């Protein structure tokens, strides 16, 4: 089995596998060899290494405008959808999920005596599990689109309010490649929340998220904000590493408060940052 795993990690999925994906497969193998074997047999698409293209020279960060509305919402939704495979992998490592998948599979095998029928049942069960995972993430997307992203201008761009939303363009007038916003934190009075950090998939690895977060933190400092927080999930390892490099520190972790999220162990992390005061010129 370990030989097969090494073979697949070297390129059995049809492409070279980046270190973060190898790490993901290794974690799945340690937690559940069965789940890892299922992924290898299914050839589940895995995240591919980002392609580092142009430098940051063409990147332009500006404040949100009304004509950005649809693209901002599309970027946000796409970022959630891209996590489907990662969450699917995580769900397959849960012991109760493995039992729920294996019990009917064995039942079909015993009753029919057909390995082909058992394989067909396995395919149906896995497809159903993946569909359920997608629906869980879709609920998260709809929640965000109904909240501050329902009316971005009113949420972030009201004059006199310490709040703002930025977009990153691939060159002046170019396509939007990233977003970030800052709002007063609802759950922690006196703090401001860094929100809606999204970067287009083909633009990751260029420093777009870092530049956007830097713009937001600078705005907060100019506005006299002293404490910033953000929320992220267990699926966003790269983002968490970025937040640590920016000076944020993990202050809390909890299961997302919904029954489905609790069943699959969907963990959310809260990070905090003390904004340094601006130095006098």
């Amino acid at each position: 089995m370990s030989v097969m795993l090494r073979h697949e990690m070297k390129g059995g999925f049809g492409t070279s596998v980046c270190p973060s994906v190898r790490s993901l497969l290794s974690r799945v193998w340690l937690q559940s060899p069965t789940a890892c074997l299922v992924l290898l047999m299914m050839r589940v698409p895995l995240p591919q290494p980002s392609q580092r293209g142009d430098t940051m020279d063409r990147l332009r960060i500006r404040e949100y405008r009304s004509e950005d509305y649809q693209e901002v919402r599309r970027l946000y939704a796409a970022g959630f959808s891209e996590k489907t495979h990662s969450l699917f992998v995580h769900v397959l490592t849960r012991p109760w999920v493995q039992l729920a998948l294996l019990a009917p599979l064995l039942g079909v095998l015993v009753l029919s005596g057909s390995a082909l029928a058992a394989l067909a049942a396995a395919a149906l069960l896995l497809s159903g599990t993946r569909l359920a995972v997608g629906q869980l993430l879709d609920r998260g997307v709809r929640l965000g689109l109904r909240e501050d992203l329902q009316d971005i201008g009113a949420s972030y761009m009201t004059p006199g309010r310490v709040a703002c939303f930025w977009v990153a363009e691939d060159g002046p007038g170019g396509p939007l490649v990233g977003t970030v916003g800052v709002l007063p934190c609802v759950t922690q009075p006196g703090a401001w929340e860094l929100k809606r950090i999204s970067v287009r998939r083909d633009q990751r690895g260029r420093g777009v998220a870092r530049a956007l977060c830097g713009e937001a933190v600078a705005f907060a400092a100019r506005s006299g904000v002293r404490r910033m927080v953000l929320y992220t999930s267990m699926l966003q390892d790269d983002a968490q590493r970025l937040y640590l490099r920016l000076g944020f520190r993990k202050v809390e972790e909890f299961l997302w408060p919904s029954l489905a999220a609790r069943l699959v162990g969907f963990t959310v992390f809260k990070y905090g940052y003390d904004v340094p005061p601006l130095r006098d010129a």
Side-chain angles (χ1 to χ4, degrees):
M1 190 77 70
S2 60
V3 173
M4 180 189 297
L5 178 62
R6 287 196 296 270
H7 166 72
E8 296 290 357
M9 289 169 63
K10 287 179 180 178
F13 286 96
T15 58
S16 60
V17 182
C18 63
S20 61
V21 174
R22 288 198 297 270
S23 175
L24 173 63
L25 281 172
S26 298
R27 290 201 304 271
V28 174
W29 172 259
L30 290 174
Q31 293 182 44
S32 173
T34 302
C36 194
L37 178 59
V38 168
L39 290 174
L40 296 177
M41 291 191 299
M42 291 181 63
R43 297 296 197 268
V44 173
L46 291 169
Q48 298 303 317
S50 60
Q51 301 296 321
R52 292 183 179 271
D54 299 332
T55 64
M56 292 288 290
D57 295 341
R58 294 199 329 225
L59 189 71
R60 175 174 177 250
I61 297 176
R62 60 168 175 80
E63 292 186 2
Y64 167 84
R65 297 194 292 252
S66 59
E67 57 264 32
D68 302 324
Y69 181 76
Q70 293 297 340
E71 185 62 15
V72 166
R73 287 166 61 89
R74 190 199 67 78
L75 273 175
Y76 170 75
F80 257 82
S81 299
E82 290 164 6
K83 301 301 180 184
T84 301
H85 295 308
S86 297
L87 183 55
F88 180 54
V89 170
H90 171 76
V91 167
L92 289 179
T93 66
R94 308 293 288 181
W96 74 267
V97 173
Q98 295 175 18
L99 181 61
L101 291 173
L102 287 174
L105 175 62
L106 292 175
V108 171
L109 182 60
V110 170
L111 292 175
S112 69
S114 169
L116 184 59
L119 287 174
L124 287 173
L125 289 168
L126 289 168
S127 297
T129 302
R130 191 182 184 285
L131 180 62
V133 167
Q135 290 175 343
L136 176 61
L137 290 177
D138 284 344
R139 285 200 290 271
V141 171
R142 291 194 296 270
L143 179 63
L145 294 178
R146 289 197 306 265
E147 293 181 336
D148 53 300
L149 295 182
Q150 178 67 38
D151 189 339
I152 301 172
S155 298
Y156 290 93
M157 310 304 292
T158 302
R161 190 182 186 202
V162 181
C164 195
F165 198 92
W166 298 266
V167 300
E169 296 177 323
D170 188 11
L176 299 192
V177 297
T179 66
V180 72
V182 172
L183 277 178
C185 183
V186 175
T187 59
Q188 184 175 332
W192 269 252
E193 185 177 350
L194 196 62
K195 296 175 67 71
R196 310 313 179 199
I197 306 165
S198 300
V199 175
R200 205 173 74 189
R201 187 171 189 172
D202 64 347
Q203 296 294 317
R204 292 170 194 164
R206 294 179 54 201
V208 177
R210 186 183 185 92
L212 283 164
C213 291
E215 185 77 20
V217 170
F219 166 83
R222 293 193 303 270
S223 303
V225 171
R226 290 294 169 262
R227 182 67 175 172
M228 297 186 75
V229 298
L230 63 85
Y231 295 88
T232 189
S233 79
M234 63 181 191
L235 302 178
Q236 296 166 297
D237 291 338
D238 291 341
Q240 291 183 62
R241 285 190 287 270
L242 169 63
Y243 303 146
L244 289 173
R245 289 197 297 270
L246 290 172
F248 284 81
R249 293 294 178 263
K250 188 187 297 184
V251 296
E252 185 181 355
E253 63 179 80
F254 55 91
L255 293 176
W256 186 255
S258 77
L259 177 59
R262 290 179 182 278
L263 285 173
V264 300
F266 190 85
T267 306
V268 175
F269 303 104
K270 179 181 179 180
Y271 283 75
Y273 176 69
D274 292 321
V275 182
L278 290 177
R279 295 179 180 179
D280 295 332

